Amino acid sequence: MSAVLSPANGSIGTIEAQFEPLTPAWLRQVIDVEQRAYPHPWTAGNFTDSLNSGYQAQLLTAGGSLLGYFVAMKGVEEVHLLNLTVTPEHQRQGWGRVLLDALAIWSRGQGAQWLWLEVRVSNERARKVYEQHGFRRVGYRKAYYPALGGVREDAVVMSLKL
Ligand SMILES: CC(C)(COP(=O)(O)OP(=O)(O)OC[C@H]1O[C@@H](n2cnc3c(N)ncnc32)[C@H](O)[C@@H]1OP(=O)(O)O)[C@@H](O)C(=O)NCCC(=O)NCCS
């Protein structure tokens, strides 16, 4: 993916961004964003395993800076979103929407009919972003995520018909 993009809501106006594949050279920056974006971040090993498994991992960059990224796994007529993150200082500027649009375009190109994802029950912000993008809640997975204090948190399962 190499299209030049600007966020759908136009809030940053002049910033132009592009997609490029995640490569090991980007890992340090990705891990830095990951650790600032989540209380339970992915490790470098999670990203390396994803690359080794051939998952789709795309970065959204502007002028050499990282705006965000997604990692997705192709299945039979479906794609499973594993990680979607916008760099904290670039959140709420429409880049999440740009990432989801790119994911949907790539998924359709792979012949997928459905997009699937899990999101923490407590992550109301991400749930709202997904709902605004057309995802619908289709179920729950009990104790799916690690949480603070050694307890676990349920996931909401969401899907989007492409
Ligand atoms: C969830 C996340 C990817 C959204 O990306 P983003 O770039 O901040 O989202 P956008 O700016 O594209 O927002 C899309 C819509 O959601 C709304 N939205 C975004 N952040 C919001 C917030 N904090 N509260 C309420 N609504 C919000 C926006 O208003 C926008 O709708 P609008 O265009 O109608 O105004 C980003 O916040 C993030 O990386 N969070 C931390 C990691 C995470 O939780 N990832 C998801 C794991 S499943």
Side-chain angles (χ1 to χ4, degrees), residues 108-125:
R108 280 196 203 96
Q110 299 294 308
Q113 308 268 356
W114 292 91
L115 263 172
W116 292 86
L117 61 83
E118 285 91 16
V119 54
R120 284 178 187 270
V121 168
S122 64
N123 195 347
E124 288 176 17
R125 176 179 184 170

Side-chain angles (χ1 to χ4, degrees), residues 9 37-38 84-87 90-98 117-120 123 125-126 128-130 132 145:
N9 64 13
Y38 296 97
L84 176 90
T85 309
V86 173
T87 301
H90 294 295
Q91 289 177 10
R92 281 218 95 169
Q93 297 169 354
W95 297 116
R97 195 171 286 240
V98 169
L117 61 83
E118 285 91 16
V119 54
R120 284 178 187 270
N123 195 347
R125 176 179 184 170
K128 186 170 169 208
V129 170
Y130 294 136
Q132 284 178 337
Y145 291 108

Side-chain angles (χ1 to χ4, degrees), residues 5-83:
L5 302 153
S6 56
N9 64 13
S11 60
I12 327 181
T14 55
I15 291 186
E16 286 191 338
Q18 61 186 27
F19 280 96
E20 56 186 290
L22 170 60
T23 58
W26 275 100
L27 262 188
R28 208 169 52 86
Q29 262 182 271
V30 168
I31 293 301
D32 171 67
V33 169
E34 185 74 16
Q35 289 179 343
R36 290 188 291 119
Y38 296 97
H40 298 275
W42 274 23
T43 62
N46 293 135
F47 285 99
T48 304
D49 288 348
S50 295
L51 290 178
N52 291 340
S53 302
Y55 296 165
Q56 175 73 347
Q58 288 282 329
L59 309 178
L60 184 61
T61 66
S65 296
L66 186 56
L67 299 178
Y69 46 86
F70 69 80
V71 180
M73 178 177 71
K74 185 176 174 305
V76 179
E77 295 195 349
E78 62 183 42
V79 166
H80 197 134
L81 177 59
L82 303 175
N83 189 319

